[in-house]
């Protein structure tokens, strides 16, 4: 049965299968990941499953569809909003912009000073107003925040300063804030589907993309873009999402287990990704697959981008959130 047939059949709707005439109903939850078993996002989702089972203490089934077998994160979020096909998954905030203009802002370039600042913001739950808006408009709950990888630019040619970035054709995420900030830096941003980036660089449609180490490794971007410019322009935030439609049909004790597991699994995901990020880059460089390029104009790059962030925050009524994030101590 192909993917279209599976989705058409409603795969992923929370299932209540009768396993026997005298047995209780069994609940099945379906998750989705673009990546394989080794990726931090997949491991985070596996830990979520383990913790839900532990805290719920009753029979429950999980099916995690990996390696993009149900499409990409954009589709996962749409399925969760519709209450079909996917019950839980990790999704980039860029894919929530249809429902919340402010959502992509939590993952914006140069929003965080460093990992300590990033962790402080998440620990203080400063993103709650955006999570509330997403749940209200999209009917998708943000039950935790994974991520933690520092994003850099991988390119087919080295770029160690602003002048080298000028005019570079780079793939960015679909949210407007990404195109605006990269354009302000003098680059030529374009939105391309994540699974098409490799071929786009190989065919000279673009010269570069931007990602954390786990993504560069998983998608083998180093094969077509072996130069990693250490711009350190963003630290990933990847919400662990759960369909509100599914959640509303679950018993109260399972709902409590899901909320608790979401917080703890996401913290685990942040820890492993932030820890392994540098290790992955070092391993790729040691193997001769990647070459780090020191970026000497980071402060100047941030100054170019700052007015764009300020303007965007005003447009989406996120000035208060941006101010709180900026004032947070690390």
């Amino acid at each position: 049965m192909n993917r279209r047939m599976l989705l058409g059949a409603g795969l992923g709707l929370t299932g209540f299968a009768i396993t026997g005439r005298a047995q209780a109903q069994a609940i099945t939850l379906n998750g989705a990941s673009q990546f394989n078993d080794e990726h931090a996002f997949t491991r985070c989702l596996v830990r979520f499953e383990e913790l839900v089972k532990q805290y719920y203490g009753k029979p429950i089934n999980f099916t995690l569809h990996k390696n993009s077998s149900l499409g990409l994160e954009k589709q996962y979020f749409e399925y969760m909003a519709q209450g079909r096909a996917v019950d839980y998954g990790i999704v980039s905030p860029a894919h929530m912009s249809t429902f919340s203009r402010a959502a992509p802002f939590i993952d914006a370039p140069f929003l965080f000073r460093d990992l300590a600042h990033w962790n402080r913001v998440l620990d203080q739950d400063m993103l709650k107003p955006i999570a509330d808006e997403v749940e209200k408009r999209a009917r998708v709950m943000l039950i935790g925040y994974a991520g933690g990888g520092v994003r850099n630019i991988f390119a087919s040619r080295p770029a160690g300063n602003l002048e080298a970035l000028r005019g570079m054709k780079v793939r960015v995420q679909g949210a407007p804030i990404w195109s605006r900030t990269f354009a302000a830096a003098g680059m030529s941003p374009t939105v391309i589907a994540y699974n098409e980036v490799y071929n786009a660089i190989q065919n000279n449609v673009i010269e570069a993309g931007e990602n954390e180490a786990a993504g560069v490794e998983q998608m083998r971007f180093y094969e077509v873009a072996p130069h990693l410019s250490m711009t350190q322009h963003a630290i990933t935030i990847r919400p662990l999402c759960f369909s509100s439609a599914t959640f509303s049909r679950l018993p109260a004790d399972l709902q409590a287990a899901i909320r608790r597991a979401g917080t703890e699994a996401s913290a685990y995901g942040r820890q492993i990704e932030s820890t392994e990020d540098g290790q992955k880059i070092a391993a790729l460089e040691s193997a001769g697959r990647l070459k780090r390029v020191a970026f000497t104009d980071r402060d100047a790059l941030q100054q170019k981008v700052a007015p764009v962030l300020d303007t965007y925050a005003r447009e989406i009524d996120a000035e208060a959130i941006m101010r709180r994030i900026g004032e947070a101590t690390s």
Side-chain angles (χ1 to χ4, degrees):
M1 186 178 293
N2 62 31
R3 195 180 83 192
R4 183 175 296 177
M5 293 172 64
L6 287 171
L7 295 180
L11 174 67
L13 286 172
T14 302
F16 298 92
I18 303 298
T19 57
R21 182 173 297 179
Q23 292 181 325
Q25 295 173 324
I27 298 173
T28 297
L29 298 176
N30 283 272
S33 173
Q34 291 183 169
F35 306 105
N36 64 13
D37 290 328
E38 299 304 315
H39 195 281
F41 294 174
T42 306
R43 291 156 66 189
C44 177
L45 294 172
V46 170
R47 177 58 64 92
F48 172 67
E49 172 186 337
E50 294 170 346
L51 290 172
V52 171
K53 289 179 177 178
Q54 176 184 335
Y55 296 142
Y56 184 44
K58 300 176 185 177
I60 182 170
N61 302 316
F62 284 82
T63 302
L64 179 56
H65 303 272
K66 294 169 283 191
N67 295 304
S68 301
S69 60
L70 292 185
L72 302 177
E73 290 177 6
K74 178 177 176 62
Q75 284 78 50
Y76 306 160
F77 192 78
E78 292 170 353
Y79 296 151
M80 283 185 276
Q82 295 163 6
R84 67 182 185 93
V86 176
D87 298 312
Y88 64 95
I90 290 175
V91 177
S92 168
H95 302 312
M96 304 175 189
S97 58
T98 302
F99 302 94
S100 169
R101 296 177 66 201
F105 185 71
I106 67 178
D107 196 42
F110 290 109
L111 188 60
F112 304 105
R113 293 187 292 274
D114 49 35
L115 274 170
H117 180 221
W118 177 85
N119 272 306
R120 182 76 169 181
V121 169
L122 294 180
D123 289 343
Q124 293 185 359
D125 201 18
M126 292 185 184
L127 306 180
K128 188 178 185 303
I130 294 176
D132 290 343
E133 182 183 24
V134 171
E135 182 173 356
K136 178 182 178 181
R137 296 182 181 276
R139 289 188 52 75
V140 175
M141 302 161 54
L142 309 188
I143 58 174
Y145 299 97
V150 178
R151 298 177 78 91
N152 297 289
I153 293 173
F154 55 90
S156 58
R157 60 178 172 86
N161 52 45
L162 277 173
E163 183 59 32
L165 289 182
R166 189 180 305 279
M168 179 178 277
K169 295 179 290 184
V170 60
R171 181 266 181 182
V172 296
Q173 301 178 55
I177 186 61
W178 285 87
S179 293
R180 292 189 193 182
T181 51
F182 276 65
M187 304 178 74
S188 178
T190 185
V191 177
I192 295 176
Y194 187 66
N195 60 343
E196 296 175 5
V197 173
Y198 186 104
N199 287 338
I201 296 176
Q202 188 175 45
N203 295 322
N204 297 316
V205 175
I206 57 175
E207 302 171 87
E210 58 83 38
N211 214 324
E212 66 275 4
V216 172
E217 178 189 53
Q218 168 76 23
M219 302 300 288
R220 305 176 73 90
F221 291 140
Y222 53 81
E223 293 180 347
V224 291
H227 304 282
L228 191 69
S229 296
M230 304 301 290
T231 52
Q232 302 180 51
H233 56 269
I235 302 174
T236 57
I237 290 183
R238 292 293 177 266
L240 174 52
C241 303
F242 201 96
S243 169
S244 294
T246 296
F247 191 82
S248 66
R249 296 194 293 266
L250 300 176
D253 52 348
L254 179 53
Q255 291 180 345
I258 287 169
R259 288 190 181 278
R260 181 179 177 185
T263 300
E264 295 182 17
S266 297
Y268 166 78
R270 296 199 303 273
Q271 188 273 326
I272 60 173
E273 185 167 346
S274 60
T275 299
E276 295 177 357
D277 196 64
Q279 297 172 358
K280 289 182 182 294
I281 293 175
L284 289 170
E285 191 170 40
S286 178
R289 296 174 174 174
L290 193 70
K291 183 177 181 180
R292 272 183 276 202
V293 179
F295 191 80
T296 59
D297 288 339
R298 190 179 186 278
D299 289 344
L301 178 58
Q302 188 161 13
Q303 290 172 12
K304 281 181 170 291
V305 169
V308 177
L309 284 176
D310 291 340
T311 300
Y312 188 71
R314 286 195 298 272
E315 289 178 2
I316 62 175
D317 297 324
E319 290 176 284
I321 295 175
M322 185 174 179
R323 183 169 56 253
R324 286 192 65 199
I325 290 174
E327 293 172 352
T329 59
S330 55

